[in-house]
Amino acid sequence: MSDLEQLEAQGVAELATSSDEQSLIAWNQRWFGKTGLVPLALKKLTELPGPERKAYGQAVNKLKEILSAAFAKAQALAKERALELSIATEQLDPTLPGKPWESGSLHPATITMRRILAAFGELGYEVYHSREVEDDETNFGMLNMPPHHPARDMWDTFHTTDPGLVLRTHTSPGQIHAMRERAPNPLRVVLPGLVYRYEQITARSEIMFHQVEGLCLGENIGLTDLLGTLEAFIRRLFGPDRKVRVRSSYFPFTEPSIEVDMDCILCSAKGCPVCKRSGWLEILGAGMVHPVVLRNGGYDPDKHAGFAFGLGVERINMLLYGIEDIRAFWSGDLRFLRSF
Ligand code: DAH
């Protein structure tokens, strides 16, 4: 038997007794490591006289192939054995319950938004979506606030790097989009969505919150229709016994403008910190659509009239659930979010 044949027999025999992962690693190191037996045998090639080299080289390569294949086979076998062992010894109980899934829930603003839209749905309003990035002209100008109009100060604004593009400060510009699409037809829409204000974040004010805008246009629509609609809405949301009060106010896009209050549900109108001891809670702003706005929307103020209103969803949510700090909505605090 030649030296190489002897080496082969030795390698195969050693492999046969290396049945676990550890001893296979050791075998591989001994035979194929840097100073292993196979590289050593290869090195011998340089010491041989020229004519013998070719035959020896071929024989060493063959040895290398045989041992490599035998090693791969032994490794696969060891893996299989390890798996069989783990199946035989480790117990699997298929009757155990799985890991429970954490189920999410709707964000409180979404819950309240849906309640508000459902209430207006019952009153015959359709939902109309409009953009959150608005041009200055639609957010202010079309709503009867030309550039430098002092009323613009009522809305601290996020401007973008695009001149003339702002984050909408209210859902009111949606009125213009809806009107221009539907003019001169009668219209009853609610416009839900996020609005943005460049304001200090406090317990009572956020830089981002939801509003719902409402717009009702047609012929012979008056202030009493507005009052009836809002009373019906407030009672649907807060209960049939709610009292509603109206104060005069100012918005550039309505004339006359009003603010609508309801009796405080938190203290039964006795007076508490939330209603500032007045017994009344401010719910929304509203009014009869200004003729300038009607015209900008494509309606003829001599023929058409209508009312609009706007309310803050988080604020309504806070009143419904007795929440004192508006920052909770975007805090990402799961204890808050899970309590709905
Ligand atoms: N856009 C007003 C705001 O954000 C709310 C509002 C008031 C909307 C009166 C209206 C309205 O449509 O008629 O403060």
Side-chain angles (χ1 to χ4, degrees):
M1 204 189 263
S2 75
D3 283 359
L4 288 181
E5 280 167 344
Q6 217 166 342
L7 260 180
E8 183 189 317
Q10 188 192 333
V12 171
E14 275 183 28
L15 252 187
T17 60
S18 315
S19 55
D20 59 70
E21 208 188 321
Q22 283 297 328
S23 50
L24 280 172
I25 291 171
W27 182 95
N28 195 39
Q29 190 60 30
R30 200 159 54 248
W31 286 84
F32 283 97
K34 249 197 193 137
T35 54
L37 293 168
V38 175
L40 217 65
L42 258 171
K43 234 182 175 173
K44 255 194 204 146
L45 193 68
T46 54
E47 297 159 15
L48 289 177
E52 285 174 36
R53 281 190 193 173
K54 189 175 172 196
Y56 184 83
Q58 281 173 347
V60 174
N61 272 333
K62 204 173 140 218
L63 170 74
K64 203 170 143 185
E65 268 167 35
I66 287 171
L67 288 183
S68 294
F71 177 68
K73 215 166 143 188
Q75 230 181 358
L77 203 71
K79 225 178 183 175
E80 209 169 292
R81 250 188 247 132
L83 179 66
E84 269 165 20
L85 188 74
S86 94
I87 290 172
T89 54
E90 287 163 31
Q91 287 201 354
L92 180 73
D93 182 354
T95 64
L96 282 175
K99 283 188 190 154
W101 283 89
E102 286 257 3
S103 58
S105 56
L106 291 175
H107 190 275
T110 306
I111 296 172
T112 302
M113 176 67 92
R114 289 186 181 179
R115 286 182 64 180
I116 293 169
L117 295 181
F120 281 112
E122 286 176 10
L123 297 172
Y125 283 74
E126 80 180 279
V127 174
Y128 189 98
H129 290 281
S130 86
R131 53 190 296 189
E132 286 177 26
V133 179
E134 243 336 326
D135 51 70
D136 180 278
E137 175 66 1
T138 318
N139 193 81
F140 294 116
M142 297 278 178
L143 296 172
N144 202 23
M145 280 176 277
H148 309 298
H149 192 289
R152 287 186 173 214
D153 286 350
M154 291 164 71
W155 294 273
D156 295 305
T157 309
F158 280 112
H159 296 269
T160 71
T161 47
D162 251 326
L165 271 195
V166 300
L167 301 189
R168 68 175 174 193
T169 56
H170 50 176
T171 42
S172 302
Q175 290 187 29
I176 300 292
H177 296 297
M179 282 192 280
R180 291 192 163 182
E181 193 183 298
R182 304 290 170 84
N185 298 309
L187 180 69
R188 235 186 291 174
V189 290
V190 272
L191 304 105
L194 280 166
V195 302
Y196 303 87
R197 303 262 174 102
Y198 186 51
E199 279 183 25
Q200 183 164 17
I201 301 173
T202 68
R204 315 213 77 219
S205 70
E206 255 289 5
I207 58 170
M208 176 172 87
F209 56 94
H210 293 87
Q211 282 190 335
V212 174
E213 187 86 9
L215 178 65
C216 172
L217 295 180
E219 288 169 25
N220 299 319
I221 292 179
L223 198 58
T224 47
D225 299 307
L226 169 59
L227 298 180
T229 300
L230 294 179
E231 197 174 85
F233 161 68
I234 286 169
R235 290 185 175 165
R236 270 174 170 73
L237 213 64
F238 290 98
D241 301 327
R242 293 276 69 84
K243 288 190 196 68
V244 174
R245 166 181 101 161
V246 164
R247 285 174 291 119
S248 108
S249 184
Y250 170 74
F251 298 103
F253 30 88
T254 42
E255 181 59 38
S257 304
I258 57 171
E259 230 142 301
V260 180
D261 302 341
M262 74 173 184
D263 56 328
C264 181
I265 44 169
L266 301 170
C267 63
S268 306
K270 287 192 191 72
C272 68
V274 176
C275 63
K276 297 188 196 113
R277 319 227 163 267
S278 71
W280 293 95
L281 294 167
E282 191 187 315
I283 297 292
L284 51 80
M288 300 305 294
V289 181
H290 197 287
V292 167
V293 177
L294 280 176
R295 228 175 271 124
N296 287 337
Y299 286 81
D300 177 358
D302 290 331
K303 263 173 59 193
H304 298 104
F307 58 78
F309 52 86
L311 55 87
V313 175
E314 281 78 0
R315 188 178 151 66
I316 300 271
N317 184 291
M318 290 166 81
L319 296 175
L320 278 171
Y321 294 93
I323 295 160
E324 280 166 13
D325 195 326
I326 195 170
R327 290 171 291 196
F329 287 94
W330 305 115
S331 65
D333 187 337
L334 288 177
R335 289 167 304 176
F336 171 73
L337 296 172
R338 286 204 179 109
S339 58
F340 292 89

